[in-house]
C-alpha cells in the first residue's frame, strides 16, 4: 500500500510512504524525479506499474489540475502530458482505472461538479508480472530459464482427488512462500537488488549499497544514518 501527501493538521505534505503487507512495516520513499507539490484532497489510482495522482489543493487553497505519475519500478515521479479538454482544477473527486484509462468523476472546483473525464494511459506492466516473466530467483540460485510465466492462478483440480493434485497444491504453496521470502531480501528503495548494507545506527538491513546514497535516514525507523557496513553472501 502506498500513501502520498495529505494534511497533518498544520501543513500539506508531499511525502510518500509504502506499507508492506508482508513485513507489516512502513517505509519512507525518497522523492526522486519531478515530485508533485504538496497537496491533499487529491485522488490516486494504480494502473500497471504506476500510481497516478490527480488534482488536490495546497495549504493556500490553490487547486491543482495536474496528472502526476509514480513508477513503482524506477521509484521516481514524472508529469504526464495530457491533451484535449482537461478537467478543471478540483478536489473531492473520484478516480478509477478501467480498460487502460483513468476516469475522473465529479469533485469541487469552486462549485460542485458532476462531470466525467477519461484519460487514456500507455500500457503498463506491473512489477509482479515482470517478476513472473523472469527466472524464479536470482537470490536463491535456483533459476529455471525454461519455466513458463505463472498465470497467478492455482492449477485446476482433476476429476479425482489424485496424489498428483495434492502435490501440485503443495508446490503452489511453496512457490508463494518463496516469493514472499525473496521479497524480504530486496532493497526497500529500488526493489530490484538484494539488500547488502547494514545501518549500524539502528542495525536494520533495508537498502542496497547503490541506493544508500539516496537516503539520509533509515527507511524503516527514520534513524539518521552515520555508519554503515556492506555485507556479502557466503
Amino acid at each position: 500500500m502506498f500513501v502520498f501527501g495529505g494534511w497533518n493538521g498544520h501543513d500539506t505534505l508531499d511525502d510518500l510512504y509504502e506499507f508492506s503487507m508482508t513485513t507489516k512495516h512502513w517505509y519512507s520513499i525518497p522523492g526522486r524525479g519531478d515530485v508533485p507539490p504538496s497537496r491533499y484532497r487529491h485522488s490516486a489510482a494504480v494502473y500497471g506499474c504506476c500510481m497516478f495522482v490527480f488534482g488536490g489543493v495546497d495549504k493556500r487553497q490553490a487547486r491543482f489540475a495536474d496528472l502526476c505519475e509514480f513508477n513503482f519500478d524506477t521509484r521516481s515521479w514524472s508529469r504526464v502530458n495530457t491533451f484535449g479538454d482537461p478537467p478543471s482544477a478540483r478536489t473531492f473527486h473520484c478516480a478509477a482505472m478501467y480498460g487502460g484509462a483513468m476516469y475522473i468523476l465529479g469533485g469541487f472546483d469552486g462549485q460542485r461538479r458532476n462531470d466525467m473525464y477519461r484519460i487514456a494511459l500507455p500500457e503498463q506492466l506491473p512489477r509482479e508480472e515482470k517478476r513472473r516473466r523472469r527466472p524464479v530467483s536470482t537470490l536463491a540460485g535456483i533459476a529455471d530459464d525454461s519455466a513458463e510465466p505463472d498465470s497467478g492462478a492455482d492449477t485446476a483440480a482433476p476429476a479425482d482427488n489424485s496424489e498428483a493434485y495434492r502435490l501440485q497444491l503443495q508446490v503452489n504453496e511453496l512457490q508463494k512462500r518463496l516469493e514472499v521470502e525473496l521479497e524480504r531480501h530486496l532493497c526497500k528503495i529500488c526493489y530490484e537488488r538484494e539488500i547488502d548494507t547494514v545501518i549500524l545506527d539502528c542495525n536494520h538491513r533495508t537498502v542496497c549499497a547503490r541506493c544508500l546514497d539516496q537516503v539520509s535516514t533509515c527507511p524503516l525507523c527514520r534513524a539518521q544514518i552515520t555508519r554503515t557496513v556492506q555485507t556479502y553472501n557466503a
Side-chain angles (χ1 to χ4, degrees):
M1 179 175 70
F2 291 81
V3 177
F4 168 72
W7 173 260
N8 64 4
H10 305 284
D11 205 352
T12 48
L13 307 173
D14 64 354
D15 49 5
L16 179 63
Y17 285 87
E18 175 184 3
F19 179 74
S20 171
M21 300 298 180
T22 303
T23 64
K24 308 303 180 186
H25 281 114
W26 285 97
Y27 302 97
S28 175
I29 301 178
R32 296 171 54 190
D34 193 356
V35 179
S38 59
R39 66 188 67 196
Y40 70 120
R41 295 175 180 170
H42 52 278
S43 64
V46 172
Y47 172 59
C49 63
C50 297
M51 175 177 67
F52 293 87
V53 172
F54 175 79
V57 64
D58 65 12
K59 184 177 181 179
R60 297 176 291 106
Q61 296 303 300
R63 301 183 189 92
F64 296 99
D66 53 350
L67 181 62
C68 305
E69 172 187 356
F70 179 77
N71 189 295
F72 296 121
D73 289 342
T74 63
R75 299 272 154 164
S76 63
W77 287 96
S78 61
R79 299 297 179 96
V80 179
N81 294 323
T82 60
F83 305 93
D85 182 20
S88 58
R90 62 185 63 196
T91 59
F92 295 113
H93 54 281
C94 296
M97 297 292 187
Y98 180 77
M102 183 176 187
Y103 290 83
I104 304 295
L105 172 64
F108 181 79
D109 64 357
Q111 57 181 315
R112 295 178 181 177
R113 294 292 180 181
N114 192 31
D115 49 2
M116 178 180 284
Y117 290 83
R118 178 183 181 273
I119 305 172
L121 300 172
E123 182 179 359
Q124 303 284 347
L125 189 64
R127 187 177 67 218
E128 289 77 9
E129 183 64 21
K130 290 182 178 179
R131 188 175 300 155
R132 292 191 186 105
R133 296 189 182 187
R134 67 176 183 241
V136 173
S137 170
T138 57
L139 305 179
I142 56 173
D144 181 7
D145 292 329
S146 63
E148 292 293 327
D150 183 7
S151 64
D154 291 337
T155 303
D160 60 330
N161 191 17
S162 64
E163 180 66 19
Y165 175 59
R166 288 194 294 270
L167 289 175
Q168 184 62 55
L169 290 179
Q170 294 179 18
V171 169
N172 292 344
E173 179 63 25
L174 289 174
Q175 178 68 25
K176 293 176 182 178
R177 292 183 183 181
L178 177 61
E179 291 179 357
V180 170
E181 182 64 22
L182 293 177
E183 186 160 325
R184 288 182 58 245
H185 295 280
L186 292 179
C187 170
K188 299 306 179 288
I189 302 297
C190 66
Y191 278 91
E192 294 177 354
R193 294 175 290 273
E194 186 177 1
I195 295 172
D196 60 3
T197 301
V198 176
I199 301 172
L200 296 179
D201 305 273
C202 57
N203 294 325
H204 285 143
R205 294 183 74 251
T206 55
V207 299
C208 66
R210 290 180 60 181
C211 290
L212 182 62
D213 294 336
Q214 304 175 21
V215 295
S216 59
T217 59
C218 172
L220 181 59
C221 68
R222 308 300 295 276
Q224 195 71 26
I225 299 176
T226 61
R227 298 177 302 151
T228 63
V229 62
Q230 192 165 0
T231 60
Y232 302 90
N233 292 330

